[in-house]
């Protein structure tokens, strides 16, 4: 199971996708959890998600922590598939509960009621790349996977010598 979570190769392009997605979601999560970057912080975000969107409090907290800790996981490349999955699920939920009714496009000029789902679709697509391909290069997952492969090879060699 652990091998499935961390298996990856040294692909630098996937690493760029992972890191950019991670930075964006770390920032969004920090707004919601810590009030950084002009965000509302945990109590106001929880209030908004539970009262306006009618999410159960545990689900609301999972959304917030998924963005924050999923972002960190993606930046460092630790359990990247799991982090990307959490972000993809959060974005699907955001589209289903809020953004789908506003159409595809973001409200760039402020002349419509809400924002569409184009951003969310891009985030879901980038998350799917990480889910399918793994963390890529420059990741803790890659180090764990390479170390596990080395241990497995050493174990097989020891068995063959018997």
């Amino acid at each position: 199971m652990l091998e499935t979570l961390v298996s990856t190769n040294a692909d630098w392009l996937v690493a760029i996708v992972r890191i950019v997605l991670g930075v964006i979601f770390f920032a969004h999560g920090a707004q919601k959890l810590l009030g950084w970057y002009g965000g509302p912080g945990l109590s106001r975000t929880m209030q908004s998600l539970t009262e306006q969107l009618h999410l159960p409090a545990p689900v609301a907290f999972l959304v917030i922590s998924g963005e924050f800790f999923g972002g960190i996981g993606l930046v460092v490349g630790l359990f990247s598939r799991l982090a990307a999955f959490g972000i993809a699920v959060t974005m699907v939920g955001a589209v289903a509960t809020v953004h789908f009714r506003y159409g595809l496009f973001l409200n760039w000029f402020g002349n419509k009621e809400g924002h569409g789902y184009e951003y969310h679709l891009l985030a879901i697509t980038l998350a799917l790349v990480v889910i399918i391909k793994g963390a890529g290069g420059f990741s803790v997952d890659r180090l764990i996977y390479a170390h596990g492969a080395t241990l497995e090879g050493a174990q097989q060699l020891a068995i063959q010598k018997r």
Side-chain angles (χ1 to χ4, degrees), residues 95-106:
V95 170
T97 58
V98 177
H99 299 281
F100 187 77
R101 68 177 153 250
Y102 300 116
L104 176 65
F105 299 106
L106 292 174

Side-chain angles (χ1 to χ4, degrees), residues 105-155:
F105 299 106
L106 292 174
N107 187 3
W108 289 103
F109 303 108
N111 57 359
K112 295 190 310 183
E113 184 179 336
H115 290 288
Y117 55 89
E118 67 180 321
Y119 161 80
H120 305 82
L121 192 57
L122 285 170
I124 292 165
T125 303
L126 293 175
L128 284 174
V129 169
V130 176
I131 292 167
I132 293 167
K133 301 289 278 180
F138 314 110
S139 67
V140 176
D141 285 351
R142 177 80 179 130
L143 294 173
I144 293 169
Y145 183 67
H147 183 70
T150 303
L151 287 177
E152 185 179 302
Q155 289 170 344

Side-chain angles (χ1 to χ4, degrees), residues 3 58 91:
E3 184 176 330
M91 291 296 95

